[in-house]
Short mmCIF file of all heavy atoms in Angstrom, two decimals:
data_model
loop_
_atom_site.label_atom_id
_atom_site.label_comp_id
_atom_site.label_asym_id
_atom_site.label_seq_id
_atom_site.Cartn_x
_atom_site.Cartn_y
_atom_site.Cartn_z
N VAL N 278 111.31 143.49 101.81
CA VAL N 278 110.16 143.29 100.93
C VAL N 278 109.00 142.61 101.65
O VAL N 278 107.87 142.60 101.16
CB VAL N 278 110.55 142.46 99.69
CG1 VAL N 278 111.71 143.11 98.95
CG2 VAL N 278 110.90 141.02 100.06
N LEU N 279 109.27 142.03 102.82
CA LEU N 279 108.27 141.21 103.50
C LEU N 279 107.34 141.99 104.42
O LEU N 279 106.16 141.66 104.52
CB LEU N 279 108.96 140.13 104.35
CG LEU N 279 109.61 138.96 103.62
CD1 LEU N 279 110.38 138.11 104.61
CD2 LEU N 279 108.53 138.12 102.93
N PHE N 280 107.86 143.02 105.07
CA PHE N 280 107.16 143.53 106.26
C PHE N 280 106.36 144.80 106.01
O PHE N 280 106.78 145.70 105.27
CB PHE N 280 108.16 143.75 107.39
CG PHE N 280 108.66 142.46 107.98
CD1 PHE N 280 109.78 141.85 107.46
CD2 PHE N 280 107.99 141.86 109.03
CE1 PHE N 280 110.24 140.64 107.98
CE2 PHE N 280 108.44 140.67 109.57
CZ PHE N 280 109.57 140.05 109.03
N GLY N 281 105.22 144.85 106.69
CA GLY N 281 104.39 146.03 106.73
C GLY N 281 104.07 146.38 108.17
O GLY N 281 104.44 145.67 109.10
N ASP N 282 103.38 147.50 108.35
CA ASP N 282 102.99 147.97 109.67
C ASP N 282 101.48 147.84 109.84
O ASP N 282 100.73 147.94 108.88
CB ASP N 282 103.39 149.44 109.84
CG ASP N 282 104.87 149.69 109.60
OD1 ASP N 282 105.67 148.75 109.79
OD2 ASP N 282 105.21 150.83 109.23
N GLY N 283 101.05 147.64 111.08
CA GLY N 283 99.61 147.56 111.33
C GLY N 283 99.31 147.15 112.75
O GLY N 283 100.21 146.88 113.55
N ALA N 284 98.02 147.11 113.06
CA ALA N 284 97.57 146.69 114.38
C ALA N 284 96.22 145.99 114.26
O ALA N 284 95.38 146.36 113.45
CB ALA N 284 97.42 147.90 115.32
N GLY N 285 96.06 144.96 115.07
CA GLY N 285 94.79 144.25 115.16
C GLY N 285 94.47 144.02 116.61
O GLY N 285 95.38 143.89 117.45
N ALA N 286 93.18 143.98 116.95
CA ALA N 286 92.79 143.91 118.35
C ALA N 286 91.58 143.01 118.54
O ALA N 286 90.79 142.78 117.61
CB ALA N 286 92.47 145.31 118.88
N ALA N 287 91.45 142.51 119.76
CA ALA N 287 90.29 141.70 120.14
C ALA N 287 89.90 142.05 121.57
O ALA N 287 90.77 142.23 122.43
CB ALA N 287 90.61 140.21 120.03
N VAL N 288 88.61 142.14 121.80
CA VAL N 288 88.09 142.29 123.16
C VAL N 288 87.67 140.91 123.63
O VAL N 288 86.93 140.19 122.94
CB VAL N 288 86.88 143.25 123.20
CG1 VAL N 288 86.29 143.31 124.61
CG2 VAL N 288 87.31 144.65 122.76
N LEU N 289 88.16 140.51 124.80
CA LEU N 289 87.81 139.23 125.40
C LEU N 289 86.83 139.45 126.54
O LEU N 289 86.94 140.43 127.28
CB LEU N 289 89.05 138.51 125.93
CG LEU N 289 90.18 138.19 124.96
CD1 LEU N 289 91.24 137.36 125.65
CD2 LEU N 289 89.67 137.50 123.73
N GLY N 290 85.90 138.51 126.68
CA GLY N 290 84.94 138.59 127.77
C GLY N 290 84.12 137.32 127.85
O GLY N 290 84.30 136.39 127.04
N PRO N 291 83.22 137.24 128.83
CA PRO N 291 82.39 136.04 128.99
C PRO N 291 81.51 135.80 127.77
O PRO N 291 80.97 136.74 127.18
CB PRO N 291 81.55 136.36 130.23
CG PRO N 291 82.32 137.42 130.95
CD PRO N 291 82.99 138.22 129.89
N VAL N 292 81.37 134.54 127.41
CA VAL N 292 80.51 134.14 126.29
C VAL N 292 79.67 132.94 126.72
O VAL N 292 79.97 132.29 127.73
CB VAL N 292 81.35 133.76 125.05
CG1 VAL N 292 82.08 134.98 124.50
CG2 VAL N 292 82.35 132.65 125.37
N PRO N 293 78.60 132.63 126.00
CA PRO N 293 77.75 131.48 126.36
C PRO N 293 78.52 130.17 126.37
O PRO N 293 79.51 130.00 125.66
CB PRO N 293 76.67 131.49 125.27
CG PRO N 293 76.64 132.91 124.78
CD PRO N 293 78.05 133.39 124.86
N HIS N 294 78.05 129.25 127.15
CA HIS N 294 78.66 127.92 127.22
C HIS N 294 78.73 127.29 125.83
O HIS N 294 77.79 127.36 125.05
CB HIS N 294 77.84 127.01 128.15
CG HIS N 294 78.41 125.64 128.28
ND1 HIS N 294 79.54 125.36 129.02
CD2 HIS N 294 78.01 124.45 127.73
CE1 HIS N 294 79.80 124.06 128.95
NE2 HIS N 294 78.89 123.49 128.17
N GLY N 295 79.88 126.69 125.54
CA GLY N 295 80.09 126.06 124.25
C GLY N 295 80.78 126.96 123.24
O GLY N 295 81.21 126.49 122.18
N GLN N 296 80.88 128.24 123.55
CA GLN N 296 81.59 129.17 122.67
C GLN N 296 82.90 129.60 123.33
O GLN N 296 83.22 129.19 124.43
CB GLN N 296 80.70 130.38 122.37
CG GLN N 296 79.44 130.05 121.60
CD GLN N 296 78.62 131.29 121.28
OE1 GLN N 296 78.89 132.38 121.78
NE2 GLN N 296 77.61 131.14 120.44
N GLY N 297 83.64 130.44 122.61
CA GLY N 297 84.85 131.02 123.18
C GLY N 297 86.11 130.22 122.90
O GLY N 297 86.14 129.33 122.04
N VAL N 298 87.17 130.58 123.63
CA VAL N 298 88.47 129.93 123.47
C VAL N 298 88.41 128.56 124.11
O VAL N 298 88.25 128.42 125.32
CB VAL N 298 89.59 130.78 124.12
CG1 VAL N 298 90.94 130.10 123.92
CG2 VAL N 298 89.61 132.19 123.55
N ARG N 299 88.53 127.53 123.30
CA ARG N 299 88.43 126.16 123.80
C ARG N 299 89.77 125.65 124.33
O ARG N 299 89.81 124.90 125.30
CB ARG N 299 87.92 125.24 122.69
CG ARG N 299 86.53 125.55 122.20
CD ARG N 299 86.06 124.56 121.17
NE ARG N 299 86.07 123.19 121.66
CZ ARG N 299 85.70 122.14 120.92
NH1 ARG N 299 85.34 122.30 119.66
NH2 ARG N 299 85.74 120.93 121.44
N ALA N 300 90.86 126.02 123.66
CA ALA N 300 92.18 125.54 124.08
C ALA N 300 93.25 126.39 123.44
O ALA N 300 93.05 126.99 122.37
CB ALA N 300 92.38 124.07 123.69
N THR N 301 94.41 126.47 124.11
CA THR N 301 95.57 127.14 123.56
C THR N 301 96.81 126.30 123.83
O THR N 301 96.83 125.49 124.76
CB THR N 301 95.77 128.55 124.17
OG1 THR N 301 96.02 128.42 125.57
CG2 THR N 301 94.57 129.44 123.93
N ARG N 302 97.82 126.52 123.03
CA ARG N 302 99.09 125.81 123.21
C ARG N 302 100.23 126.74 122.85
O ARG N 302 100.23 127.30 121.74
CB ARG N 302 99.13 124.55 122.33
CG ARG N 302 100.32 123.62 122.59
CD ARG N 302 100.15 122.36 121.74
NE ARG N 302 101.07 121.30 122.10
CZ ARG N 302 102.24 121.08 121.50
NH1 ARG N 302 102.63 121.87 120.53
NH2 ARG N 302 103.00 120.07 121.87
N LEU N 303 101.16 126.93 123.76
CA LEU N 303 102.28 127.84 123.57
C LEU N 303 103.60 127.08 123.72
O LEU N 303 103.71 126.22 124.58
CB LEU N 303 102.24 128.97 124.60
CG LEU N 303 100.91 129.71 124.79
CD1 LEU N 303 101.04 130.72 125.92
CD2 LEU N 303 100.46 130.37 123.51
N SER N 304 104.58 127.44 122.89
CA SER N 304 105.90 126.80 123.03
C SER N 304 106.97 127.73 122.47
O SER N 304 106.67 128.66 121.70
CB SER N 304 105.94 125.46 122.29
OG SER N 304 105.81 125.65 120.90
N SER N 305 108.21 127.48 122.87
CA SER N 305 109.34 128.25 122.36
C SER N 305 110.55 127.34 122.21
O SER N 305 110.71 126.37 122.96
CB SER N 305 109.70 129.39 123.33
OG SER N 305 108.63 130.28 123.51
N SER N 306 111.38 127.65 121.24
CA SER N 306 112.62 126.90 121.01
C SER N 306 113.77 127.87 121.04
O SER N 306 114.18 128.43 120.00
CB SER N 306 112.57 126.15 119.67
OG SER N 306 113.78 125.47 119.43
N GLY N 307 114.30 128.11 122.24
CA GLY N 307 115.38 129.08 122.40
C GLY N 307 116.64 128.72 121.64
O GLY N 307 117.43 129.61 121.29
N ALA N 308 116.83 127.44 121.35
CA ALA N 308 118.01 127.03 120.61
C ALA N 308 118.02 127.59 119.20
O ALA N 308 119.08 127.67 118.56
CB ALA N 308 118.09 125.50 120.56
N HIS N 309 116.84 128.00 118.71
CA HIS N 309 116.74 128.55 117.36
C HIS N 309 116.48 130.06 117.38
O HIS N 309 116.05 130.64 116.38
CB HIS N 309 115.60 127.86 116.60
CG HIS N 309 115.80 126.39 116.39
ND1 HIS N 309 115.40 125.45 117.32
CD2 HIS N 309 116.37 125.71 115.37
CE1 HIS N 309 115.71 124.24 116.86
NE2 HIS N 309 116.30 124.37 115.69
N ARG N 310 116.76 130.70 118.51
CA ARG N 310 116.39 132.11 118.66
C ARG N 310 117.15 133.03 117.72
O ARG N 310 116.68 134.14 117.41
CB ARG N 310 116.60 132.57 120.10
CG ARG N 310 118.05 132.56 120.58
CD ARG N 310 118.13 132.83 122.08
NE ARG N 310 119.51 132.88 122.58
CZ ARG N 310 120.22 131.80 122.88
NH1 ARG N 310 119.68 130.59 122.75
NH2 ARG N 310 121.46 131.92 123.32
N ASP N 311 118.32 132.62 117.22
CA ASP N 311 119.10 133.50 116.35
C ASP N 311 118.59 133.52 114.91
O ASP N 311 119.10 134.28 114.09
CB ASP N 311 120.57 133.09 116.35
CG ASP N 311 121.27 133.48 117.64
OD1 ASP N 311 120.76 134.36 118.36
OD2 ASP N 311 122.34 132.90 117.94
N LEU N 312 117.58 132.72 114.61
CA LEU N 312 117.02 132.75 113.25
C LEU N 312 116.36 134.09 112.96
O LEU N 312 116.32 134.54 111.81
CB LEU N 312 116.00 131.61 113.07
CG LEU N 312 116.54 130.19 113.06
CD1 LEU N 312 115.39 129.19 112.97
CD2 LEU N 312 117.51 129.99 111.89
N ILE N 313 115.80 134.72 114.00
CA ILE N 313 115.14 136.01 113.86
C ILE N 313 115.66 136.89 115.00
O ILE N 313 115.54 136.51 116.16
CB ILE N 313 113.61 135.87 113.94
CG1 ILE N 313 113.09 135.03 112.78
CG2 ILE N 313 112.94 137.24 113.96
CD1 ILE N 313 111.61 134.71 112.87
N ARG N 314 116.18 138.08 114.67
CA ARG N 314 116.82 138.85 115.73
C ARG N 314 117.02 140.31 115.31
O ARG N 314 117.02 140.63 114.12
CB ARG N 314 118.18 138.26 116.09
CG ARG N 314 119.19 138.36 114.98
CD ARG N 314 120.34 137.39 115.12
NE ARG N 314 121.41 137.62 114.15
CZ ARG N 314 121.35 137.26 112.87
NH1 ARG N 314 120.28 136.64 112.40
NH2 ARG N 314 122.35 137.52 112.05
N VAL N 315 117.18 141.16 116.29
CA VAL N 315 117.73 142.51 116.13
C VAL N 315 118.97 142.51 117.02
O VAL N 315 118.85 142.56 118.25
CB VAL N 315 116.74 143.61 116.55
CG1 VAL N 315 117.40 144.98 116.45
CG2 VAL N 315 115.49 143.55 115.68
N PRO N 316 120.17 142.43 116.46
CA PRO N 316 121.38 142.17 117.26
C PRO N 316 121.68 143.20 118.32
O PRO N 316 122.12 142.85 119.43
CB PRO N 316 122.49 142.12 116.19
CG PRO N 316 121.80 141.77 114.92
CD PRO N 316 120.47 142.44 115.01
N ALA N 317 121.50 144.48 118.04
CA ALA N 317 121.94 145.52 118.97
C ALA N 317 120.77 146.36 119.48
O ALA N 317 119.68 146.35 118.93
CB ALA N 317 122.97 146.43 118.30
N GLY N 318 121.04 147.07 120.56
CA GLY N 318 120.05 147.97 121.12
C GLY N 318 119.55 147.53 122.48
O GLY N 318 118.79 148.26 123.13
N GLY N 319 119.99 146.36 122.96
CA GLY N 319 119.61 145.86 124.27
C GLY N 319 120.78 145.87 125.22
O GLY N 319 121.83 146.48 124.96
N SER N 320 120.63 145.16 126.35
CA SER N 320 121.68 145.15 127.35
C SER N 320 122.89 144.30 126.95
O SER N 320 123.99 144.51 127.44
CB SER N 320 121.12 144.64 128.69
OG SER N 320 120.65 143.31 128.57
N ARG N 321 122.68 143.33 126.05
CA ARG N 321 123.80 142.51 125.59
C ARG N 321 124.73 143.30 124.69
O ARG N 321 125.96 143.27 124.84
CB ARG N 321 123.26 141.27 124.85
CG ARG N 321 124.33 140.36 124.24
CD ARG N 321 125.11 139.64 125.30
NE ARG N 321 124.26 138.71 126.06
CZ ARG N 321 124.67 138.02 127.12
NH1 ARG N 321 125.91 138.16 127.54
NH2 ARG N 321 123.84 137.21 127.76
N VAL N 322 124.13 144.00 123.73
CA VAL N 322 124.91 144.83 122.80
C VAL N 322 124.23 146.20 122.74
O VAL N 322 123.34 146.43 121.92
CB VAL N 322 124.98 144.21 121.39
CG1 VAL N 322 125.87 145.06 120.48
CG2 VAL N 322 125.49 142.78 121.44
N PRO N 323 124.59 147.10 123.66
CA PRO N 323 123.95 148.42 123.67
C PRO N 323 124.19 149.18 122.37
O PRO N 323 125.21 148.98 121.69
CB PRO N 323 124.63 149.13 124.85
CG PRO N 323 125.18 148.03 125.70
CD PRO N 323 125.57 146.94 124.75
N ALA N 324 123.25 150.03 122.02
CA ALA N 324 123.40 150.85 120.82
C ALA N 324 124.60 151.78 120.97
O ALA N 324 124.85 152.34 122.05
CB ALA N 324 122.13 151.66 120.60
N SER N 325 125.34 151.91 119.89
CA SER N 325 126.52 152.77 119.89
C SER N 325 126.76 153.23 118.46
O SER N 325 126.10 152.78 117.52
CB SER N 325 127.75 152.00 120.39
OG SER N 325 128.09 150.95 119.49
N GLU N 326 127.71 154.13 118.30
CA GLU N 326 128.05 154.57 116.95
C GLU N 326 128.50 153.38 116.10
O GLU N 326 128.20 153.31 114.91
CB GLU N 326 129.14 155.63 117.01
CG GLU N 326 128.68 156.96 117.60
CD GLU N 326 129.77 158.02 117.53
OE1 GLU N 326 130.83 157.74 116.93
OE2 GLU N 326 129.56 159.11 118.09
N ALA N 327 129.21 152.46 116.74
CA ALA N 327 129.72 151.30 116.00
C ALA N 327 128.58 150.39 115.55
O ALA N 327 128.59 149.91 114.41
CB ALA N 327 130.70 150.52 116.87
N THR N 328 127.60 150.14 116.42
CA THR N 328 126.49 149.26 116.03
C THR N 328 125.61 149.91 114.97
O THR N 328 125.10 149.24 114.08
CB THR N 328 125.63 148.86 117.24
OG1 THR N 328 125.02 150.04 117.81
CG2 THR N 328 126.46 148.15 118.28
N LEU N 329 125.45 151.22 115.06
CA LEU N 329 124.68 151.92 114.03
C LEU N 329 125.40 151.87 112.69
O LEU N 329 124.79 151.63 111.65
CB LEU N 329 124.45 153.38 114.45
CG LEU N 329 123.46 153.61 115.59
CD1 LEU N 329 123.46 155.07 116.01
CD2 LEU N 329 122.06 153.17 115.18
#
Side-chain angles (χ1 to χ4, degrees):
V278 305
L279 287 173
F280 288 89
D282 304 334
V288 176
L289 302 186
V292 294
H294 180 75
Q296 296 182 350
V298 182
R299 297 183 58 180
T301 63
R302 189 174 192 265
L303 311 176
S304 66
S305 300
S306 178
H309 297 87
R310 65 188 182 278
D311 286 341
L312 292 176
I313 297 173
R314 66 200 188 283
V315 176
S320 62
R321 177 70 65 185
V322 183
S325 65
E326 291 184 6
T328 63
L329 288 173

